[in-house]
Structure formats: C-alpha cells, structure tokens
Amino acid sequence: MILRAFTDGASRGNPGEAGVGIIVMDERAAPVFTMHGFIGVCTNNVAEYTAMETLLARARTLECARLIIHSDSELMVRQLNGKYRVKDRVLKTHHARTLELLKTLPFPFELRHIPREENREADRLANLGIDEKIPLKV
C-alpha cells in the first residue's frame, strides 16, 4: 500500500507561537492518522522541519510499500532533496536530524513540494495546535 503524508508548520509572528499538523492517508484518501500540537516559539522554517521530523518518527511504525510526503515548504523540500544548501545554523541541525530519520525508514519514500492550497488540512491542524496550546506528543 502507498501512503500519502501531508505536513505543515505554522508560526504566528515568525518567530512566534508555533504548531505542526500532520495527516497520513491511504490509497483511498482515508485517514490513517492525524496529529497536531503546539511546539512553543520558533520560526516558520523550524516549525516546518519539526512537523517533518514528527511525521518521520511516527512513520517508521507504519506498514506500507511507499510513503509520499507532501509539504508546502519549498525551502525545506529542496534542502532535503539536496537542491538548496542549508545556511542557517539552527536549520542545519534540523536538516541533519531529518536526513537521519529518512535513512531509518524501512520503505521507499518521496518528498514533494505542493502549493499551499493543496495542503490546507495540514495547515488547519498546525494552526489548531497553536490555538489549543497542547504540547506536541511524538
């Protein structure tokens, strides 16, 4: 089975209060799981990476033939796919951690950049994480 994941990080103020939203769906677009949570104060880019790291930590337990990960963060996707360099020292840490998590996946994966309009549900969940102020649980 091929699973599709959607991740988003949101920060109000950049830096500001931040949250993440994650959705994983099966081939029929039925939810396998969703999660959201508050991650404190950080930049939008850190929130995007935190959402990805959270997904990957949870994804290792999924049973699938392939995972296609969607994000509206062009910067993060291009950095993880090796098309952009990572210059920011904080993002370098997140980038390295994310690459390590990707290596541990027991199935093939693909990272895709999508327009913000195609990521509305993950964005809604990320903002819900900020609104609810419930800490993210991995």
Side-chain angles (χ1 to χ4, degrees):
M1 169 175 21
I2 297 173
L3 297 179
R4 296 178 346 131
F6 295 82
T7 68
D8 198 28
S11 175
R12 294 184 187 152
N14 201 28
E17 291 186 329
V20 302
I22 300 164
I23 304 161
V24 176
M25 297 185 295
D26 67 16
E27 292 168 331
R28 295 179 308 275
V32 173
F33 76 85
T34 65
M35 60 189 305
H36 63 279
F38 181 69
I39 58 171
V41 174
C42 65
T43 66
N44 189 68
N45 289 331
V46 168
E48 294 281 7
Y49 266 102
T50 302
M52 180 68 71
E53 292 166 21
T54 303
L55 165 67
L56 296 174
R58 175 84 185 265
R60 292 182 295 183
T61 64
L62 297 174
E63 292 184 27
C64 68
R66 180 176 185 80
L67 178 64
I68 302 171
I69 304 167
H70 303 82
S71 171
D72 61 18
S73 173
E74 183 176 8
L75 176 73
M76 179 183 68
V77 171
R78 288 186 180 227
Q79 286 175 335
L80 292 171
N81 284 329
K83 294 185 177 161
Y84 285 177
R85 284 187 2 206
V86 183
K87 298 175 184 176
D88 182 87
R89 69 175 176 76
V90 174
L91 289 187
K92 281 182 182 183
T93 303
H94 287 280
H95 180 262
R97 189 174 338 166
T98 302
L99 289 177
E100 286 302 313
L101 286 167
L102 286 166
K103 288 179 190 175
T104 68
L105 292 179
F107 41 75
F109 64 89
E110 181 180 342
L111 300 173
R112 292 183 184 173
H113 172 255
I114 58 171
R116 173 173 275 158
E117 305 82 50
E118 294 177 25
N119 209 29
R120 284 193 180 135
E121 184 59 16
D123 177 68
R124 185 188 71 76
L125 289 172
N127 280 288
L128 187 60
I130 298 170
D131 293 342
E132 291 181 346
K133 303 281 188 296
I134 297 172
L136 179 67
K137 294 180 184 171
V138 180

